Amino acid sequence: QVQLVESGGGLVQPGGSLRLSCAASGSIFSVNDMHWYRQAPGKERELVAGVTSGGNTNYVDSVKGRFTISRDNAKNTVYLQMNSLKPEDTAVYYCHALVHLYRFTYHLTDYWGQGTQVTVSS
């Protein structure tokens, strides 16, 4: 019923940029915290960046100063602007959101996007 649809992945050269988008749709009252995770082959999924409903952000140390997470609450969309990309950023990137489904019941449900491949290679 609720879907997170990701877009924006692709192949870029080192030093290049990409912007990922993730839009939540369906029967939603509001979207709470939103996050971007990534998973490289043979590695655990890691939290890359998060943004709260109030706009507070956090980042894993390896992307600080290069990545920016933002959101458009009117569109229930979260973005990840990735600059100065490095080969070690190569991974499948997953959008995650905590969704408030019911107006009068504060119960948050986890949803995940389908994943989008980001490849940084010369």
Side-chain angles (χ1 to χ4, degrees):
Q1 190 172 19
V2 175
Q3 288 187 311
L4 302 182
V5 179
E6 302 179 30
S7 62
L11 172 65
V12 296
Q13 295 184 340
S17 297
L18 284 174
R19 188 181 74 159
L20 307 183
S21 299
C22 174
S25 63
S27 183
I28 297 170
F29 175 70
S30 65
V31 179
N32 202 262
D33 298 355
M34 304 185 80
H35 311 88
W36 288 98
Y37 289 77
R38 68 185 180 188
Q39 188 166 27
K43 297 184 178 180
E44 296 183 355
R45 187 173 298 188
E46 68 170 344
L47 176 63
V48 178
V51 57
T52 69
S53 60
N56 295 319
T57 61
N58 65 280
Y59 303 89
V60 67
D61 286 343
S62 61
V63 309
K64 287 182 178 177
R66 300 188 297 119
F67 291 10
T68 302
I69 188 171
S70 61
R71 64 191 293 164
D72 184 338
N73 290 332
K75 298 180 179 180
N76 286 331
T77 298
V78 63
Y79 306 93
L80 186 67
Q81 178 66 48
M82 303 184 293
N83 298 325
S84 302
L85 283 162
K86 304 175 180 179
E88 48 264 47
D89 295 318
T90 296
V92 177
Y93 284 70
Y94 296 93
C95 174
H96 171 263
L98 292 168
V99 179
H100 184 184
L101 298 176
Y102 308 108
R103 171 65 177 85
F104 300 108
T105 303
Y106 191 72
H107 176 74
L108 301 178
T109 302
D110 291 271
Y111 288 94
W112 290 88
Q114 80 280 9
T116 185
Q117 178 71 49
V118 172
T119 302
V120 184
S121 177
S122 59

